[in-house]
DNA sequence: TATGAATGAGGCTTCATTCAT
DNA sequence: AATGAATGAAGCCTCATTCAT
């Protein structure tokens, strides 16, 4: 009988430690030794769970995406009108800015780390999951969803580069304004489904 | 009799080589040796122009920002109405996506590289220069300019992570639509100055 | 109720797996994990049978030598004349070249592995067993046996380094030729024998 | 102007240090750190001259082969009769046993280190050079040269595995005896060219 | 200025071995 | 007896940087 360790739980613990370090200083700055130390294990133990450094990253993205989606879907305001949904989205954003910024920065960094499509595949997968999740929250799809996602990415990027640069409250007001105007153009406050642009 | 070299010209050549490499694989992947080789000089020569690697990055950002601003201001459609200005901005965007994406990715990478505010200062400086330049092009300021800049950053980020993700033509139509609606709300096509949100 | 396993049988199975791996890539390339995996047991199990890696090697040599000698002695053409014995030796050689080459290479590798005479002892023991066995097969002793053994080792070495280098048929003819001439010189009976090298 | 170092001379010095270590404990035991230390340089310096460890081995084989051949050809007894040539060969052997044994062991070790023919190519090249050199010394060719080479390899192998195993004087006497008998079979003491087998 | 040899810390990874179960 | 998680030293190699020329 082997040493009693919940393999999957250990894996997750290691991935969490990894994310912490990746988020701080980026992929390269997070050395295997540091990750191991942060997780309280030896270097060798790391390799017991992951064959190499890139695969840690891949596993981490997978875990986080899965978790995030689950978390978001748990608190979906299913029948609310769009403005309330927008408010919910911004509330989520505000609560998780640091985390989301870190994730995005990491995604961008990884994306160029290897021209081989290997590492890019799971970043795209994650990205699309988040896009779908956002569209579900907003209750909007089509072009408007694309635009909203773009704006969201922009607000994360902007906030990362210049912490004093973007006022999220202002952004929310703006988005509400856009929605109102686009919905009005379609003939009244649309509840939860309207794709207005197209 | 020293070799006749225009010091500043050589410096720029080195910075251009640096950018090329940084853009390809990021800051870490661009080793001093590779930079030197790409510029056709020896490692030692590089250190005659820059004291260390971070300072190359700083100098590079400075050079590029300066250049870009000059370039943009040279072709400003000074008296055009906003829709034409939007079109001009997107035209510029389309012509320089790759370059702008690289620049943005690099900025984000650099931003994390050193927690010391040393490296972050010039990234913020650059960012603000671009933001101002964009506002000048659009002939818009205040909140609307902020929002436009956010959206612009988002489109670059999005396009980097998922090349098939965002249709720039669609984005342009959307932006034009937003402008029309916001301008209409204010009572007519505002020519070149309108801060509409607020 | 312990798992019913024949301890000695398991040991042999482990040693066979070891030899397979040693033969493929040498001593260093055969890691304990690979050996365990090849034998279908866990790393820990390996250590129940052998205290460490060198001792696996020692045990393996011992087992193989014992086996080989037994095998050879079983088919000794006890009363045949020398030329027939030479033919038998070469037949054996041809059937087991790969095995013998691997064994020899391994012996040489091991020999250097530890300057301490610990590991060298059993290699010498094995070597002498083989030399005796060969002398028995040939029915020759003294200097001639030494020379034959030298030649035999040479043919294995040669064949290992250059698979197209040595024609065993030619070698056999040559050896028969040498025997004929030496026997003739001694006035001994040279019965039904092969031609000389010419 | 760079630091004044004779690149080729340094390379040779590094290769000599490498051989010393390789000869002692084999390829794997000779770590890059040890090689560097033995040569009195840093690890990094080693990589200035050789891209990686295998290439050190390759370069070393090339250097040694070249050197040995040159050395041997310098002292060729051009017009001597075969028995004198045999004596010369054994004299050379006796003077260089340790070196030759090390070389041979190394060749065998390397040979199996990588199944890819990359590393094997230069071993075969070296081997054939030595074979040709030996044939030139002996003034013999064809089958007899092959057999002599085989015997020579065998004597090195034998001596490596069992230092008390083979008496080189005895071996020489034997080889002279073989030659005499084969030459006699052809009709008299052939001077310096005799291919007796063929 | 310019060259390129040299340094040495540190990165990723492997591996024999130990140990809790 | 058996399992497999864990250790940590050590291997190969890279890289920013320095220095003799």
């Amino acid at each position: 009988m082997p040493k009693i360790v919940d393999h999957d739980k250990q894996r997750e613990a290691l991935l969490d430690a990894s994310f912490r370090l990746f988020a701080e200083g980026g992929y390269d700055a997070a050395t295997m030794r540091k990750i191991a130390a942060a997780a309280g294990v030896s270097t060798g133990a790391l390799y017991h769970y992951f064959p190499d450094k890139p695969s840690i990253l891949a596993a981490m993205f997978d875990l986080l995406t899965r978790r995030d989606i689950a978390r978001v879907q748990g608190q979906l305001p299913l029948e609310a009108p769009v403005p309330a949904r927008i408010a919910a989205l911004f509330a989520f954003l505000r609560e998780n800015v640091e985390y989301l910024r870190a994730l995005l920065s990491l995604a961008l960094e990884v994306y160029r780390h290897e021209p081989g499509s290997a590492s890019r595949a799971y970043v795209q997968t994650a990205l699309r999951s988040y896009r779908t999740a956002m569209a579900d929250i907003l209750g909007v799809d089509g072009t408007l969803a694309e635009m909203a996602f773009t704006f969201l990415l922009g607000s994360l990027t902007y906030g990362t580069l210049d912490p004093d640069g973007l006022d999220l409250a202002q952004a929310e007001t703006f988005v509400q304004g856009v929605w109102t105007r686009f919905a009005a153009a379609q003939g009244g406050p649309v509840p939860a489904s309207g794709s207005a642009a197209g």
Side-chain angles (χ1 to χ4, degrees), chain A:
Chain A
M1 291 127 225
K3 201 176 279 191
I4 298 293
V5 177
D6 186 328
H7 189 94
D8 289 350
K9 216 152 201 168
Q10 255 296 39
R11 246 181 84 98
E12 286 202 17
L14 296 176
L15 292 178
D16 284 329
S18 301
F19 176 69
R20 236 173 300 138
L21 282 176
F22 285 155
E24 259 179 50
Y27 180 78
D28 287 317
T31 72
M32 294 302 265
R33 278 199 256 268
K34 281 182 191 163
I35 292 175
V41 301
S42 66
T43 353
L46 223 45
Y47 285 87
H48 206 69
Y49 292 89
F50 306 98
D52 51 22
K53 201 182 174 190
S55 77
I56 291 185
L57 195 62
M60 194 207 68
F61 261 101
D62 189 57
L63 174 65
L64 295 186
T65 306
R66 233 178 267 283
R67 256 195 213 156
D68 290 352
I69 303 303
R71 182 156 54 113
V72 159
Q73 282 171 342
Q75 53 187 60
L76 251 188
L78 269 181
E79 290 303 326
V82 170
R85 287 158 173 268
I86 291 174
L89 180 64
F90 271 91
F92 177 82
L93 202 58
R94 259 185 288 266
E95 277 167 30
N96 300 95
V97 236
E98 295 223 2
Y99 168 73
L100 293 170
R101 280 179 194 162
L103 202 58
L104 180 58
S105 289
L106 201 45
L108 282 162
E109 188 180 357
V110 164
Y111 198 74
R112 98 210 238 264
H113 229 272
E114 300 168 44
S117 48
S119 52
R120 301 185 169 191
Y122 54 81
V123 170
Q124 283 195 12
T125 304
L127 185 78
R128 283 168 187 165
S129 299
Y130 285 109
R131 190 176 49 191
T132 303
M134 190 217 64
D136 285 349
I137 293 182
L138 286 187
V140 160
D141 61 5
T143 300
L144 221 46
E146 280 298 66
M147 299 304 122
F149 194 59
T150 304
F151 190 79
L152 194 154
L153 289 178
S155 68
L156 290 174
T157 306
Y158 200 167
T160 302
L161 293 177
D162 187 352
D164 303 329
L166 180 68
D167 181 358
L168 274 183
Q170 227 175 29
E172 184 176 353
T173 306
F174 172 71
V175 170
Q176 293 282 11
V178 170
W179 167 253
T180 305
R181 283 166 175 79
F182 271 82
Q186 285 201 330
V190 185
S193 63
S195 149

